[in-house]
Amino acid sequence: MDIQSGTYYWPETMEETPSYPALDKDLTCDVLIIGAGSSGAQCAYYLAEQGLRPVIIEQEKVGSGSTSTNTTILQSSGEKYFTDLIHTFGEEAIAKHYKLCQQAIDDIEQACEKVRIDTEFKRRDTLYYVSQEGDLPAFQKEYQWLKSEGAPVEWVDSDWIREHYSFEKQGAVYVKNDGEMNPLAFTHGLIDYVHQKGAQVFEHTKMTGLHYEDGKPVIRTGQGNIIRAEKVIFAAGYNDMEIKKEKKARFVSTYTVTTAPVPDFTGWHNRTLIWETARPYVYIRSTKDNRVIIGGLDEDTNHPVERDQKMIHKRDGLLQEFHKLFPEIQVEAEYVSAAFYGGMVDGLPMIGEYPEYPNSHFLLAYGDNGIVYGMVLAKLLAQMISGDKKVDATLYQRGQS
């Protein structure tokens, strides 16, 4: 799958990264993870924490896929309101989902403290503002639900926004203790961590064949080697769709601008994460080295050529949206990218399990909050694989053949 194009900021933040050999022999293992992007790294991390030593194979380099374009705004909220998700899944289930997403951000922070690589993790508050008057009733309902669940949120009015920012909006939800980080450093940090704990990691090792013997996965690699596993986790991001097409998955195109460093952040209270109620939305964050990342303006296309033809137009549009909010901050685009962005039609990520793929799990952490979702699903999967009888992942086990 032609996932992305353009120029990417995160690889420039890591002058040297750990490297791993290609597989050159047959292997037998308890758990094989296909993919060493953020989802695969998260799975490996939790399995290692359970005392297991997974094998991880990656067709290119660690973090070389969509991880390198992930903007990594870490939030509990997603594109669909929780109050809308309740209509599909029920209030009890969505309250549980919300709590798991909150816990995932805490778990990410704890993992960042364990690894040897600086992940640039930082807690950030979020300003989630009303884009237009028609959005207000549903958004206030969402706020009231979050408040009832004990979320760290406050409603701020137009006067408060005017006092703290260089723009005016009708109102906003101010969310405390969300986060941001460097997704590539995080992925490398986790892979390095599990490798130190005995996990085997192989780069430039592509799965070229898959079959099952007595219900157990047998994988053939591009080098001609065979890996026999008790269980396999497919965590190859959007490339999982080339192995098993999931009917609930949908793909659009999204765009990102990363600016040159700026000297100050006038009119930007606490450098909060910025998000809005408009769909498609624009989101904004800053980086450790004082750049600005502006993303969004999604297009309903999954054709690479059509996606890429819009890149310059979208670059200009994203810069224009930023200048509307922060006219005193002068920015210049230094990196511009276009990428496929996946989500689930029902609004929740998935652990795909299918009869024709026994002892196999597809980690589909698709959505605007992918790394948070990945942490939720990876933790549940590790608990399931390690034999924890108390874990309940049924909310996310929704595969359709």
Side-chain angles (χ1 to χ4, degrees):
M1 182 181 289
D2 184 356
I3 294 173
Q4 59 208 30
S5 58
T7 54
Y8 317 117
Y9 165 63
W10 298 121
E12 298 298 321
T13 66
M14 302 188 71
E15 293 183 0
E16 296 183 7
T17 57
S19 61
Y20 305 93
L23 182 64
D24 61 359
K25 60 182 179 181
D26 294 348
L27 281 180
T28 300
C29 63
D30 292 328
V31 186
L32 172 66
I33 300 171
I34 310 292
S38 57
S39 293
Q42 288 165 317
C43 287
Y45 167 74
Y46 277 119
L47 289 169
E49 294 295 272
Q50 296 283 349
L52 299 174
R53 295 181 178 180
V55 171
I56 306 125
I57 63 172
E58 164 58 46
Q59 66 179 358
E60 297 181 19
K61 294 279 291 178
V62 169
S64 58
S66 57
T67 298
S68 292
T69 59
N70 193 306
T71 50
T72 321
I73 290 179
L74 305 174
Q75 299 170 316
S76 300
S77 294
E79 181 175 353
K80 282 195 175 183
Y81 290 167
F82 292 113
T83 45
D84 290 335
L85 292 171
I86 286 170
H87 296 307
T88 303
F89 298 100
E91 184 156 7
E92 183 179 349
I94 295 308
K96 177 183 176 180
H97 170 65
Y98 170 66
K99 294 295 194 303
L100 288 173
C101 289
Q102 276 193 312
Q103 182 61 50
I105 299 175
D106 293 340
D107 291 348
I108 289 169
E109 183 175 27
Q110 292 170 15
C112 290
E113 292 170 353
K114 294 179 182 180
V115 304
R116 302 190 296 183
I117 295 172
D118 178 14
T119 67
E120 302 176 16
F121 178 91
K122 187 175 180 61
R123 291 284 182 171
R124 289 282 190 201
D125 297 342
T126 295
L127 185 80
Y128 190 174
Y129 67 76
V130 178
S131 304
Q132 53 193 11
E133 187 173 355
D135 298 338
L136 187 58
F139 194 45
Q140 287 186 323
K141 180 181 177 183
E142 178 80 353
Y143 162 71
Q144 292 296 338
W145 185 86
L146 287 167
K147 196 74 173 173
S148 72
E149 291 296 320
V153 297
E154 295 294 337
W155 182 265
V156 294
D157 61 18
S158 57
D159 290 339
W160 189 94
I161 296 170
R162 191 183 306 111
E163 290 173 5
H164 291 81
Y165 294 87
S166 59
F167 54 85
E168 296 186 18
K169 297 295 175 182
Q170 187 173 0
V173 174
Y174 192 89
V175 188
K176 295 183 179 178
N177 289 325
D178 284 337
E180 65 188 27
M181 68 177 177
N182 179 326
L184 186 59
F186 176 67
T187 299
H188 272 287
L190 294 184
I191 294 292
D192 173 69
Y193 179 78
V194 301
H195 187 247
Q196 294 296 316
K197 283 180 166 287
Q200 298 183 73
V201 184
F202 301 99
E203 295 180 320
H204 303 295
T205 302
K206 183 176 181 178
M207 185 188 84
T208 56
L210 168 68
H211 69 277
Y212 292 85
E213 296 179 1
D214 297 325
K216 299 298 175 65
V218 180
I219 283 81
R220 179 176 295 276
T221 73
Q223 291 90 339
N225 299 119
I226 295 293
I227 306 174
R228 299 178 184 275
E230 292 296 310
K231 294 186 181 295
V232 63
I233 299 173
F234 294 98
Y238 302 144
N239 286 325
D240 278 350
M241 293 297 100
E242 296 183 357
I243 304 166
K244 168 59 181 172
K245 180 67 175 176
E246 169 53 52
K247 295 178 181 178
K248 287 183 180 293
R250 64 175 179 85
F251 293 89
V252 298
S253 295
T254 192
Y255 302 86
T256 307
V257 168
T258 304
T259 72
V262 300
D264 67 77
F265 292 86
T266 301
W268 189 343
H269 174 67
N270 288 343
R271 289 168 61 170
T272 51
L273 309 173
I274 303 290
W275 204 20
E276 63 171 333
T277 61
R279 300 291 184 267
Y281 51 78
V282 171
Y283 56 88
I284 304 171
R285 61 161 288 193
S286 59
T287 66
K288 183 179 180 180
D289 61 349
N290 297 328
R291 299 173 188 269
V292 178
I293 298 177
I294 316 154
L297 296 182
D298 299 351
E299 284 282 341
D300 188 16
T301 178
N302 57 9
H303 298 289
V305 173
E306 184 177 350
R307 174 197 70 197
D308 295 349
Q309 287 174 340
K310 298 177 182 291
M311 196 185 313
I312 299 304
H313 173 69
K314 294 295 184 177
R315 175 202 65 189
D316 295 343
L318 289 169
L319 290 174
Q320 183 179 27
E321 292 297 321
F322 180 81
H323 285 133
K324 288 179 184 177
L325 297 175
F326 301 107
E328 296 181 45
I329 303 176
Q330 300 302 309
V331 294
E332 177 184 351
E334 191 162 315
Y335 303 90
V336 183
S337 63
F340 285 150
Y341 157 71
M344 292 296 175
V345 294
D346 59 15
L348 288 187
M350 271 183 48
I351 297 171
E353 296 179 344
Y354 310 95
E356 65 269 37
Y357 295 89
N359 291 300
S360 303
H361 309 278
F362 288 77
L363 192 151
L364 307 178
Y366 298 172
D368 52 308
N369 221 355
I371 286 187
V372 172
Y373 293 160
M375 211 68 178
V376 171
L377 300 186
K379 188 176 186 178
L380 291 171
L381 267 178
Q383 292 169 335
M384 292 163 56
I385 289 171
S386 66
D388 186 344
K389 301 299 183 182
K390 296 180 181 180
V391 64
D392 181 8
T394 54
L395 177 61
Y396 304 108
Q397 293 171 296
R398 308 188 316 284
Q400 288 190 348
S401 294

